[in-house]
Amino acid sequence: MTSERFLVTGALGCIGAWTVKRLLDENVSVWTYDLPGDPHRLRLIMNDASVARVKFISGDITDFENFERAVVDNRITHIVHLAALQVPFVRADPILGARVNVVGTAVVFETVKRHADQVQGLAYASSIGVYGPPEMYAAGPLRNDALPHPTTLYGVYKLADEGIARIYWQDYKVGSVGLRPHVVYGPGRDQGMTSTPTKAMLAAAVGRSYHISYGGTVVFQYANDIAAVFIRAARAKGEGAPVFNPSGSAADMSEVVAAIEAAAPQMKDKITFEPAALAIPSHVDESALEAKLGPMNWIPLAEGVRQTIDLFRGAARDGKVNLEKILA
């Protein structure tokens, strides 16, 4: 075992589950902090023996005393903060969204401030949703210093999180690294506005037709890869509160469908998509991130899609995935 002791908030979600898996694969001690729930995404990508090694802590991210106790009592050295409500849930309940996405982040930073001698690294999730539609920006990949212009409350709250990080460095010298994921795909990505490409991969794995809810070109990031970047960010040394745009595979939705059909030829013409594009930038420049963390390793889209479909086939066979709930 290493001397690191990681706490992952939002570990029952997609990126969180993959973050936990990667850390366990490195033989790192991992604690999770979430509301009580079924760790079905962890079981989807890990065997029972690995899941048994996870130390689960139940708690509300807005409960400062409980979260602080979890960090102190377990001598946590690194935090990956992913707990958040996604766009549809924030839209449905904006006040709860603000509590979880903004107050929850303040709880994490305040805890790190009070225990700076113990916590050595903090990474947190912002979002590509802090930006406006592509036509707002110059041609070419989106620069890391491009002006934010969120078009959803979710994006507004994530931008507030970046402000929290900046002020905690300015006033208290709490260092952090923020990351703005784009369209994450892969096993475990079963909810949220941009999850339908992954649902199409699940549908293909079990021979069902599926219609993806949007089109256009976006940056796709395999969940396992973006989890690795969060871990590297939590381990990064240095000062300040930088926020970075990770890249991945910029691809049109037609390329995603082609990758699905290549991995599941029997699904030819059975996976379709809505032509309307999302109002988010379609290409990003990750040079600032690489200057901080070093070269990134992104799996090619076709290989990520193939791995996702293969895992879904086994999961469906073993009863590890709720097809009717996800594909409804």
Side-chain angles (χ1 to χ4, degrees):
M1 301 293 289
T2 73
S3 60
E4 295 175 325
R5 301 167 74 87
F6 266 76
L7 176 65
V8 181
T9 75
L12 300 187
C14 177
I15 300 175
W18 282 98
T19 301
V20 170
K21 181 183 187 303
R22 291 193 68 101
L23 289 167
L24 290 176
D25 288 346
E26 294 181 26
N27 214 24
V28 175
S29 296
V30 185
W31 284 256
T32 68
Y33 190 92
D34 294 87
L35 291 173
D38 180 4
H40 62 90
R41 295 181 185 90
L42 291 167
R43 292 199 304 269
L44 178 65
I45 62 175
M46 295 192 291
N47 59 33
D48 291 343
S50 294
V51 174
R53 293 168 55 201
V54 181
K55 303 166 185 69
F56 294 98
I57 301 172
S58 293
D60 187 328
I61 194 62
T62 68
D63 184 340
F64 174 73
E65 289 76 15
N66 194 58
F67 182 79
E68 182 183 37
R69 187 163 55 250
V71 170
V72 173
D73 290 354
N74 297 295
R75 306 189 308 281
I76 299 301
T77 61
H78 296 78
I79 297 173
V80 176
H81 174 46
L82 303 169
L85 295 184
Q86 294 174 314
V87 173
F89 305 103
V90 172
R91 184 176 292 124
D93 193 336
I95 294 174
L96 179 61
R99 288 173 181 156
V100 174
N101 293 14
V102 181
V103 174
T105 297
V107 164
V108 172
F109 273 83
E110 180 65 16
T111 299
V112 175
K113 183 194 83 172
R114 295 191 183 193
H115 304 283
D117 57 336
Q118 173 187 311
V119 181
Q120 302 167 21
L122 166 61
Y124 71 94
S126 181
S127 171
I128 200 69
V130 303
Y131 293 111
E135 56 268 23
M136 285 193 60
Y137 303 101
L142 180 77
R143 291 172 51 89
N144 200 75
D145 59 358
L147 184 68
H149 188 84
T151 59
T152 65
L153 279 176
Y154 171 83
V156 169
Y157 296 162
K158 285 296 186 179
L159 187 58
D161 292 343
E162 296 183 14
I164 288 170
R166 179 175 59 84
I167 299 302
Y168 263 86
W169 170 254
Q170 171 188 288
D171 290 357
Y172 310 114
K173 295 299 179 274
V174 174
S176 64
V177 177
L179 297 173
R180 303 181 184 114
H182 207 111
V183 174
V184 176
Y185 75 98
R189 186 71 211 280
D190 52 31
Q191 64 180 18
M193 185 178 70
T194 60
S195 64
T196 53
T198 297
K199 293 179 180 180
M201 297 172 207
L202 173 59
V206 297
R208 297 191 186 184
S209 300
Y210 192 83
H211 186 70
I212 298 169
S213 60
Y214 58 96
T217 298
V218 296
V219 176
F220 290 91
Q221 298 163 336
Y222 191 46
N224 189 29
D225 290 345
I226 194 68
V229 181
F230 271 103
I231 294 168
R232 290 170 66 180
R235 288 170 168 159
K237 304 297 182 182
E239 299 184 337
V243 191
F244 300 111
N245 297 326
S247 186
S249 299
D252 185 81
M253 196 61 72
S254 62
E255 297 175 72
V256 176
V257 172
I260 293 173
E261 292 179 347
Q266 72 279 12
M267 298 306 296
K268 178 73 173 173
D269 299 326
K270 294 181 180 179
I271 303 296
T272 57
F273 62 92
E274 199 68 23
L278 297 176
I280 55 177
S282 57
H283 297 77
V284 297
D285 175 4
E286 70 177 7
S287 58
L289 174 62
E290 290 191 324
K292 175 72 174 180
L293 300 183
M296 297 290 106
N297 298 304
W298 300 104
I299 191 171
L301 178 66
E303 178 61 16
V305 170
R306 186 194 65 77
Q307 289 187 18
T308 298
I309 291 176
D310 284 349
L311 191 149
F312 277 147
R313 286 183 179 128
R317 182 184 61 246
D318 297 338
K320 289 186 174 183
V321 58
N322 189 333
L323 296 172
E324 302 312 317
K325 181 179 179 180
I326 297 173
L327 298 179

